[in-house]
Amino acid sequence: MGDTTRPTDHTGLVVLDLDDCLAKLLEVPVGRLAFQLDGELSILPVVHTLDGVDVCFRTTGDSKIQAAIDRDPVAFEVDHFDASTRSGWSVLVQGTATVVDDEMDIRKLDQAARAPWVPPHEGPSTWVRIRTQSITGRALG
Amino acid sequence: MGDTTRPTDHTGLVVLDLDDCLAKLLEVPVGRLAFQLDGELSILPVVHTLDGVDVCFRTTGDSKIQAAIDRDPVAFEVDHFDASTRSGWSVLVQGTATVVDDEMDIRKLDQAARAPWVPPHEGPSTWVRIRTQSITGRALG
């Protein structure tokens, strides 16, 4: 199946380069965060923004996310699939999650952010930064 | 924001019941598996099928997935979002992953399965069953 002009992995998927991955991270507004808490894995959708190569998102009082982000390893994924053509792509970001507490940083992220999807919540709202350690992407079809 | 006829969680999202969650798991062909390997979290898309309340998928030689599914806790997520209306839903399955090695089971899953998206791969292909421990879902908008 290989497209001779683009590298493929051992399963035949096209390997996306870093620029492709970053473009796709910007292209879609919602991604998914995987984190571990009390020995259980969870995946929850978040509305994200990109700061350099770091994925950032605001979480509004979600205690599960907040408990899990104490410099823990996390994964973040964006994708798009078309069932009619059985094609699509996915981008995976791996890193550690930290709470953003610097005022300048918070202001910068607030300005760059997309409008929140979840209506403002009475509880505290926190910016989380995933300090990116790797970004990889694959495309199919 | 609460719809008085449907329960909401502490962030104002509508809580989906089990029937809703199972219907949505059937509705979309691709979901995302989160697993841990060597202290790192990953999220990879898989084309899934449902067997009772268990999520099953065939993996074609993906050593990362195969290495991670030795009765490890995993998470599986499906979702759908509409950026124009800022609405959507997500369903999270938590459980343990096992390799399916019973011949009858494999035949049953082969019959129920959607056609594979990734072209057949020369390596061995394995059915994985997530023994579901919990299914939860949320909707927004």
Side-chain angles (χ1 to χ4, degrees), chain B residues 64-83:
Chain B
K64 282 210 293 187
I65 290 184
Q66 294 209 4
I69 55 180
D70 189 20
R71 301 187 185 183
D72 270 11
V74 296
F76 179 82
E77 191 251 19
V78 290
D79 62 38
H80 179 74
F81 296 100
D82 181 340

Side-chain angles (χ1 to χ4, degrees), chain B residues 22-41:
Chain B
L22 292 173
K24 288 183 182 304
L25 280 164
L26 283 170
E27 189 179 309
V28 294
V30 179
R32 297 139 201 111
L33 180 79
F35 59 94
Q36 195 168 26
L37 185 64
D38 299 333
E40 270 192 351
L41 287 181

Side-chain angles (χ1 to χ4, degrees), chain B residues 58-124:
Chain B
R58 196 181 256 294
T59 176
T60 53
D62 191 314
S63 56
K64 282 210 293 187
I65 290 184
Q66 294 209 4
I69 55 180
D70 189 20
R71 301 187 185 183
D72 270 11
V74 296
F76 179 82
E77 191 251 19
V78 290
D79 62 38
H80 179 74
F81 296 100
D82 181 340
S84 66
T85 57
R86 286 189 199 159
S87 63
W89 54 263
S90 70
V91 171
L92 171 65
V93 176
Q94 292 171 301
T96 52
T98 55
V99 171
V100 178
D101 47 21
D102 178 81
E103 282 298 325
M104 292 276 284
D105 234 18
I106 291 170
R107 216 167 306 148
K108 186 176 73 170
L109 290 171
D110 277 338
Q111 281 164 4
R114 296 179 172 92
W117 285 34
V118 181
H121 181 254
E122 67 274 8

Side-chain angles (χ1 to χ4, degrees), chain A residues 55-114:
Chain A
V55 170
C56 302
F57 60 91
R58 194 180 257 293
T59 177
T60 53
D62 189 313
S63 55
K64 283 210 293 187
I65 291 183
Q66 294 210 3
I69 54 179
D70 188 20
R71 301 189 188 180
D72 270 10
V74 296
F76 178 83
E77 191 249 21
V78 291
D79 62 38
H80 179 75
F81 295 101
D82 182 339
S84 66
T85 57
R86 288 189 199 158
S87 62
W89 55 262
S90 71
V91 171
L92 172 65
V93 176
Q94 292 172 302
T96 52
T98 55
V99 170
V100 178
D101 47 20
D102 178 81
E103 280 300 324
M104 291 277 284
D105 235 16
I106 291 170
R107 214 167 306 147
K108 187 177 73 170
L109 290 171
D110 277 338
Q111 281 165 2
R114 296 179 171 93

Side-chain angles (χ1 to χ4, degrees), chain B residues 1-8 12-15:
Chain B
M1 293 296 298
D3 172 349
T4 54
T5 65
R6 306 192 68 179
T8 56
L13 299 175
V14 172
V15 177

Side-chain angles (χ1 to χ4, degrees), chain B residues 18-56:
Chain B
L18 180 61
D19 286 345
D20 279 345
C21 290
L22 292 173
K24 288 183 182 304
L25 280 164
L26 283 170
E27 189 179 309
V28 294
V30 179
R32 297 139 201 111
L33 180 79
F35 59 94
Q36 195 168 26
L37 185 64
D38 299 333
E40 270 192 351
L41 287 181
S42 290
I43 307 177
L44 292 180
V46 295
V47 177
H48 67 284
T49 187
L50 210 58
D51 183 35
V53 297
D54 289 352
V55 170
C56 302

